[in-house]
Amino acid sequence: MTDPARATVVPVALGSRAYEIVIGADLIAAAGAELARRFPGARYAVITDETVAEHHLDRFTAGLADADLGYSTIVVQPGESSKSFETLASVVDGVLSARLERGDLLIALGGGVIGDLVGFAAGIVRRGMRFVQVPTTLLAQVDSSVGGKTGINTRHGKNLVGLFHQPSLVLADTAALDTLSERHLRAGYAEVVKYGLIDDPAFFDWLEIHRGEIFAGGPARAEAVARACRAKAEVVRIDEKETGPRALLNLGHTFGHALETATDYDAERLVHGEGVAIGMVLAHEFSARLNLASPDDAVRAARHLAAAGLPTTLAEVPGGVGTVDGLMQAIFQDKKVKRGRLTFVLTRGIGKAFVADDVVPELVRDFLADKLVG
Amino acid sequence: MTDPARATVVPVALGSRAYEIVIGADLIAAAGAELARRFPGARYAVITDETVAEHHLDRFTAGLADADLGYSTIVVQPGESSKSFETLASVVDGVLSARLERGDLLIALGGGVIGDLVGFAAGIVRRGMRFVQVPTTLLAQVDSSVGGKTGINTRHGKNLVGLFHQPSLVLADTAALDTLSERHLRAGYAEVVKYGLIDDPAFFDWLEIHRGEIFAGGPARAEAVARACRAKAEVVRIDEKETGPRALLNLGHTFGHALETATDYDAERLVHGEGVAIGMVLAHEFSARLNLASPDDAVRAARHLAAAGLPTTLAEVPGGVGTVDGLMQAIFQDKKVKRGRLTFVLTRGIGKAFVADDVVPELVRDFLADKLVG
Ligand SMILES: NC(=O)c1ccc[n+]([C@@H]2O[C@H](COP(=O)([O-])OP(=O)(O)OC[C@H]3O[C@@H](n4cnc5c(N)ncnc54)[C@H](O)[C@@H]3O)[C@@H](O)[C@H]2O)c1
Ligand SMILES: NC(=O)c1ccc[n+]([C@@H]2O[C@H](COP(=O)([O-])OP(=O)(O)OC[C@H]3O[C@@H](n4cnc5c(N)ncnc54)[C@H](O)[C@@H]3O)[C@@H](O)[C@H]2O)c1
Ligand SMILES: [Zn+2]
Ligand SMILES: [Zn+2]
């Protein structure tokens, strides 16, 4: 069990909303003592989903009990469908039933679904309570638990309702990923690779060497999580409310979202990280086609993602991705169109991504049409 | 129709969240032009309740149409029961259906219920949209539309869920109050008087002279609203998130909430402002009993409120207010108890209220017991 005092700590420098991301193996068991030290006198509502509860809830609450902390637990259904008004209302009701006061904390124990849902609930109960992220998926550890974006889905689209509410602490237990499915581990890995591709070629080089160890659970896993968190924390510091540079984090996501739409957000066919993996390769290939980057970089990015077991081409999407018209429609829906031009994250090579706000839609269409035929 | 350029403007100085309260007769009809000037290019979702819609919606939307502004309307049921997760979800759905973008605005046309509900919806759609308060009750004009507190009720209590989200503009049409019931006008007036009692004895003097004109709708009405808004804006400026001085605004509210609880929040028996009227008199009487203030001030406060048609004694509550045990329980529920002491707004006389955090519960109990017997 990692002594939290020896864990890696990544600060998120947001002034009065600053917090720390603590990263290490078996932090879940050590969380009670850590919380007792950081939030004296507080009580907790631990919110998780059934699958995560099965694997990790007992160990987590045993640590709370050992530290003599008062807590309640609220368990919701696993899956994206829990990011709804109904589940939000039931979590809020559970927190109020537990008689938590404004100084107490909510705990989001789970993946990005739990993090987004619980962060939202924390933001609105008693007009704002503190909360702790305990991310248990790789995606949540390197992406969704950091930055304070919270939200739920509606019939009009994903994440259209929510708020910015920063956690007071993130405890990323890298050993918790041992119970995660291979597929979700890979999907989260796509987001790790993203940070290398955006602006850190040395990190990408390092990932090429350490990928195996990250998947197997060696010390490189915690290091990968820490480096990814540092990258995200820096972007969040500069652009907390996502009005500018934070857009770089969308590398691969415009194409990725279009693929998720084309597969009806059916997780059996495509999970988010898989869409992002294909999307990042497409962004590199499209940049190469615009003569912004060397085609070799697209090949290198694709080779690495494929070695991790991720899909990298449209042809790999089960059931196909439909027509070029369908994809273009999804892209227009996702993006704001300014004077007929699209905003896209493009790249000049590995680690040299940039935001282009003048992409001509016809060029995207031609590119996708070519990709679809082969 | 008041030319908005000649209306009274009260600034709310909150840095990047600063906004203006514009006060004058018939601003509803002039709102379209004013919005066009202030928010070029924006579209609107106008949210109101059925009763307000009947009296004021057509005039409001006619102004929008005249100014060539795009808008949708969403009409909810009148009454406190609309401050619910269900109605919140339906308002959010309506706003998304109207395809409002992040630069567009929501408009809260109505009383405090609509303001609290729409402010909350604005705070969470697309993680925060701008909104305009167009308060149509006196209570909303002098209290709820200013300060950014938004929220809904749950079975655990009132306003337990919500967030701080400041409006971008408040347009208080004092002529809109002409269609309001006498009872609601009086209830709002209790909150006007509150500002005098807190820290502005000259305002209280002025109210003693101008009460009739305020109710009748003369120029004193706009002046009363402006002075109340100035007072609230100043408290909000100093303590936006209600961590300290803003507590003074709760003068009369601890007793008042206990009376609302004792009457099951049944508006037939007692509306909020009536509870506050009785509560303010009790706060003065209790302060006199503690030898903090002269009993004459309690008499003077009561006389003014009674002259306005407001109840000022427990005996006036239809159906009674139950036992002293019941009232004390409600008080303990409302207030945080610190080391066995209660926090209360007490007073040293008209315009000399202060926050006391060391009130001995037994003294409150004895006082209420005496009041209950007569
Ligand atoms: N807030 C943000 O900034 C942000 C960023 C990216 C993604 N997101 C959101 O994150 C969500 C996706 O996150 P996710 O992929 O973590 O999804 P998730 O929370 O649904 O987790 C995926 C699955 O893994 C299970 N699981 C979680 N931890 C486990 C563990 N340790 N062992 C075994 N099973 C485990 C879950 O029960 C679930 O079935 C989406 O809703 C997305 O919108 C948010
Ligand atoms: N956010 C805050 O800071 C704050 C402060 C005080 C009170 N509040 C909240 O405000 C609410 C009470 O506000 P309220 O008294 O305005 O209640 P309300 O909005 O329910 O209005 C009272 C009644 O008057 C009707 N009405 C409104 N304007 C009218 C008009 N011009 N003509 C005719 N009828 C009209 C409404 O339809 C309603 O039936 C409560 O929910 C309370 O919690 C909030
Ligand atoms: Zn992503
Ligand atoms: Zn009040």
Side-chain angles (χ1 to χ4, degrees):
Chain A
M1 174 158 113
T2 309
D3 177 352
R6 299 199 177 183
T8 304
V9 175
V10 176
V12 184
L14 285 172
S16 63
R17 291 178 302 286
Y19 55 96
E20 293 187 336
I21 308 165
V22 183
I23 300 156
D26 296 310
L27 283 177
I28 282 184
E34 185 66 10
L35 294 170
R37 193 174 72 73
R38 288 178 182 253
F39 310 108
R43 293 173 59 245
Y44 299 88
V46 184
I47 299 133
T48 189
D49 73 32
E50 284 168 7
T51 307
V52 178
E54 202 179 293
H55 294 294
H56 302 289
L57 184 58
D58 288 349
R59 266 185 321 132
F60 188 83
T61 56
L64 296 181
D66 281 351
D68 270 333
L69 303 180
Y71 67 88
S72 308
T73 57
I74 300 169
V75 181
V76 306
Q77 302 274 321
E80 195 67 32
S81 62
S82 281
K83 284 175 58 173
S84 67
F85 263 115
E86 290 70 36
T87 312
L88 178 71
S90 83
V91 168
V92 163
D93 186 73
V95 173
L96 290 169
S97 296
R99 299 193 154 275
L100 256 59
E101 302 281 341
R102 245 186 123 174
D104 298 334
L105 292 97
L106 275 61
I107 296 197
L109 174 68
V113 164
I114 288 294
D116 282 9
L117 176 70
V118 173
F120 192 3
I124 62 174
V125 176
R126 299 180 186 282
R127 296 203 186 89
M129 294 185 61
R130 298 181 295 177
F131 78 113
V132 175
Q133 291 272 19
V134 185
T136 62
T137 66
L138 183 55
L139 181 135
Q141 294 188 352
V142 300
D143 190 354
S144 60
S145 70
V146 176
K149 270 169 75 172
T150 77
I152 58 174
N153 308 322
T154 73
R155 66 189 176 101
H156 299 280
K158 281 196 59 174
N159 300 319
L160 283 178
V161 182
L163 37 79
F164 284 92
H165 186 50
Q166 300 292 343
S168 295
L169 175 68
V170 182
L171 294 176
D173 180 344
T174 51
L177 306 183
D178 290 342
T179 59
L180 190 63
S181 72
E182 267 293 306
R183 191 172 179 202
H184 276 110
L185 197 57
R186 277 188 225 122
Y189 187 72
E191 306 275 5
V192 175
V193 173
K194 186 182 74 175
Y195 295 106
L197 294 177
I198 289 174
D199 65 357
D200 194 347
F203 184 42
F204 187 83
D205 295 347
W206 183 87
L207 288 172
E208 285 185 322
I209 297 162
H210 293 90
R211 178 178 48 77
E213 197 190 316
I214 293 166
F215 276 79
R221 183 186 283 176
E223 184 166 347
V225 171
R227 288 177 82 156
C229 284
R230 249 178 237 119
K232 178 141 187 191
E234 178 59 12
V235 177
V236 169
R237 184 184 69 75
I238 298 169
D239 183 19
E240 183 179 1
K241 298 263 171 107
E242 198 165 0
T243 51
R246 197 158 166 172
L248 270 180
L249 296 176
N250 288 328
L251 174 62
H253 280 63
T254 300
F255 286 126
H257 287 151
L259 300 179
E260 287 185 271
T261 304
T263 52
D264 298 320
Y265 282 92
D266 177 354
E268 301 281 313
R269 291 170 69 188
L270 194 79
V271 297
H272 176 73
E274 293 166 347
V276 171
I278 301 174
M280 292 191 297
V281 174
L282 291 176
H284 274 77
E285 291 175 343
F286 181 55
S287 299
R289 185 166 166 141
L290 298 177
N291 287 318
L292 292 163
S294 152
D296 295 349
D297 287 323
V299 171
R300 190 175 161 210
R303 197 185 303 129
H304 182 67
L305 292 163
L310 284 158
T312 56
T313 61
L314 296 180
E316 288 167 79
V317 179
V321 298
T323 64
V324 72
D325 283 335
L327 292 175
M328 286 307 291
Q329 205 185 319
I331 286 172
F332 275 105
Q333 202 180 307
D334 195 55
K335 292 271 125 188
K336 263 219 155 150
V337 183
K338 279 192 203 144
R339 291 155 278 111
R341 303 295 170 99
L342 287 165
T343 300
F344 241 93
V345 185
L346 297 179
T347 189
R348 297 199 172 82
I350 304 275
K352 294 181 189 153
F354 66 98
V355 178
D357 65 358
D358 57 352
V359 175
V360 180
E362 286 67 36
L363 295 178
V364 180
R365 162 182 277 279
D366 291 350
F367 167 72
L368 285 175
D370 287 357
K371 284 282 145 191
L372 275 172
V373 296
Chain B
M1 172 159 115
T2 307
D3 176 354
R6 299 197 177 186
T8 304
V9 176
V10 176
V12 185
L14 286 171
S16 62
R17 291 179 300 288
Y19 54 97
E20 293 186 336
I21 308 166
V22 182
I23 301 156
D26 295 311
L27 283 177
I28 282 183
E34 185 67 10
L35 294 169
R37 193 175 69 75
R38 288 179 183 254
F39 310 108
R43 293 174 59 245
Y44 299 88
V46 184
I47 299 133
T48 190
D49 72 32
E50 283 169 7
T51 308
V52 178
E54 202 178 293
H55 294 294
H56 303 290
L57 184 58
D58 287 349
R59 265 186 319 132
F60 188 83
T61 54
L64 296 181
D66 280 351
D68 269 334
L69 304 180
Y71 68 89
S72 309
T73 58
I74 301 170
V75 181
V76 306
Q77 301 274 319
E80 194 68 32
S81 63
S82 281
K83 283 175 58 173
S84 68
F85 263 115
E86 290 68 37
T87 312
L88 178 71
S90 83
V91 168
V92 164
D93 187 72
V95 172
L96 290 170
S97 295
R99 299 194 157 271
L100 255 60
E101 302 281 341
R102 245 186 124 173
D104 297 334
L105 292 97
L106 276 59
I107 296 197
L109 175 68
V113 164
I114 288 294
D116 283 11
L117 176 69
V118 173
F120 191 3
I124 62 175
V125 176
R126 299 181 187 277
R127 297 202 183 89
M129 293 184 61
R130 297 181 295 176
F131 78 114
V132 175
Q133 291 272 18
V134 185
T136 62
T137 67
L138 182 55
L139 182 136
Q141 294 188 354
V142 301
D143 190 353
S144 61
S145 70
V146 176
K149 270 168 77 171
T150 77
I152 58 173
N153 308 321
T154 73
R155 64 188 178 102
H156 299 281
K158 280 196 58 176
N159 299 319
L160 285 176
V161 181
L163 37 81
F164 285 91
H165 186 51
Q166 301 292 344
S168 295
L169 175 67
V170 181
L171 294 177
D173 179 345
T174 51
L177 306 184
D178 290 341
T179 58
L180 190 63
S181 73
E182 268 294 306
R183 192 173 180 202
H184 275 112
L185 197 57
R186 278 188 224 123
Y189 187 70
E191 306 276 4
V192 175
V193 174
K194 185 181 75 174
Y195 294 106
L197 294 177
I198 288 175
D199 66 355
D200 194 347
F203 184 42
F204 187 82
D205 296 346
W206 183 87
L207 288 172
E208 285 185 323
I209 297 161
H210 293 90
R211 177 178 48 75
E213 196 190 317
I214 293 167
F215 276 79
R221 184 186 283 174
E223 184 167 347
V225 171
R227 287 176 82 154
C229 284
R230 248 178 238 119
K232 178 141 189 191
E234 177 59 13
V235 177
V236 168
R237 184 184 68 77
I238 297 168
D239 184 19
E240 184 178 1
K241 298 265 173 102
E242 199 166 1
T243 53
R246 196 157 168 174
L248 271 181
L249 296 176
N250 287 328
L251 174 63
H253 280 63
T254 300
F255 287 126
H257 286 153
L259 300 180
E260 288 185 272
T261 304
T263 51
D264 299 320
Y265 281 92
D266 177 354
E268 301 282 314
R269 292 170 67 190
L270 194 79
V271 297
H272 174 75
E274 292 167 347
V276 171
I278 301 174
M280 290 191 299
V281 174
L282 291 176
H284 274 78
E285 291 176 341
F286 182 55
S287 300
R289 184 165 167 144
L290 297 178
N291 288 318
L292 292 164
S294 152
D296 296 348
D297 287 324
V299 171
R300 190 175 162 210
R303 197 184 304 127
H304 182 68
L305 292 163
L310 284 159
T312 57
T313 62
L314 295 180
E316 288 167 80
V317 179
V321 298
T323 64
V324 70
D325 282 336
L327 292 176
M328 287 307 291
Q329 207 184 319
I331 286 173
F332 275 106
Q333 202 180 306
D334 195 55
K335 292 271 123 188
K336 263 220 153 148
V337 183
K338 276 192 203 142
R339 292 154 279 107
R341 303 295 172 96
L342 288 165
T343 299
F344 242 92
V345 183
L346 298 179
T347 188
R348 299 199 171 82
I350 305 277
K352 294 182 187 152
F354 66 99
V355 178
D357 65 358
D358 58 352
V359 174
V360 180
E362 285 68 35
L363 295 178
V364 180
R365 163 182 277 278
D366 292 349
F367 167 73
L368 284 175
D370 288 355
K371 284 281 145 193
L372 275 172
V373 295

